């Protein structure tokens, strides 16, 4: 009976010791859980967990997007820590930085214009102007 009471007391103590304070967040995920996920979903998950100071940063490093998808998370740091585990506790106001992969802005614009057939048209206009100047020249 004494052993059962001791075990119950220890489990209760352990549970209370791992409970976050009112102004803290107990992480429902680890750093590795977030890597590769869509950054918008990760931001929503961080907000739902209780964080309020979230910054999103682009890492314009994609070329084709075949190996790494556009918008996938490279890293999430919480108060400078990017190696945390599920259950770790951080302040609600911790500085959270989400870094995600994307294409360079010029590549996105070129791709969008190309889809609409505008890039080809712009190239033709420039070619015509250059040709006309050469003919007059």
């Amino acid at each position: 009976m004494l052993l059962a009471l001791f075990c119950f007391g220890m489990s209760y103590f352990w549970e209370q010791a791992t409970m976050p304070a009112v102004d803290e967040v107990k992480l429902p995920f680890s750093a590795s859980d977030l890597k590769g996920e869509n950054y918008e979903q990760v931001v929503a998950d961080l907000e739902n967990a209780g964080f309020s100071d979230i910054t999103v940063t682009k890492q314009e490093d994609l070329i084709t997007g075949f190996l790494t998808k556009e918008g996938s998370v490279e890293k999430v740091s919480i108060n400078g820590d990017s190696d945390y585990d599920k259950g770790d506790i951080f302040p609600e106001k911790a500085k959270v930085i989400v870094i995600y992969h994307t294409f360079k802005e010029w590549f996105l614009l070129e791709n969008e214009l190309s889809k609409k057939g505008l890039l080809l048209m712009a190239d033709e206009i420039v070619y015509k102007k250059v040709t006309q100047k050469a003919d007059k020249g």
Side-chain angles (χ1 to χ4, degrees):
M1 172 78 167
L2 188 57
L3 182 59
L5 189 56
F6 176 74
C7 288
F8 176 75
M10 288 303 291
S11 67
Y12 178 76
F13 172 76
W14 180 253
E15 185 179 314
Q16 293 302 312
T18 60
M19 293 293 292
V22 174
D23 60 345
E24 293 180 323
V25 174
K26 184 175 181 177
L27 293 178
F29 37 69
S30 68
S32 60
D33 292 337
L34 301 176
K35 185 170 178 147
E37 297 297 318
N38 180 274
Y39 81 95
E40 292 171 325
Q41 183 60 54
V42 168
V43 169
D45 291 344
L46 290 163
E47 289 172 340
N48 290 336
F51 291 106
S52 56
D53 187 6
I54 303 170
T55 303
V56 178
T57 304
K58 296 177 187 178
Q59 184 171 313
E60 296 179 334
D61 61 348
L62 294 183
I63 297 172
T64 62
F66 291 131
L67 298 175
T68 303
K69 295 201 182 294
E70 182 178 14
S72 67
V73 169
E74 169 61 25
K75 177 172 72 169
V76 177
S77 67
I78 304 173
N79 273 353
D81 183 4
S82 55
D83 187 26
Y84 42 84
D85 296 313
K86 180 178 180 177
D88 285 356
I89 297 174
F90 289 93
E92 284 180 343
K93 296 184 189 254
K95 179 78 175 154
V96 180
I97 301 174
V98 178
I99 300 172
Y100 71 95
H101 298 280
T102 190
F103 294 100
K104 293 186 184 295
E105 288 295 325
W106 64 264
F107 181 83
L108 293 173
L109 178 60
E110 184 177 312
N111 193 27
E112 195 60 33
L113 290 174
S114 177
K115 285 180 187 174
K116 295 178 180 177
L118 296 176
L119 188 60
L120 180 60
M121 191 181 341
D123 288 345
E124 289 173 0
I125 292 169
V126 170
Y127 175 76
K128 284 180 183 176
K129 286 184 179 179
V130 169
T131 309
Q132 288 172 354
K133 286 182 181 177
D135 290 341
K136 291 179 182 178

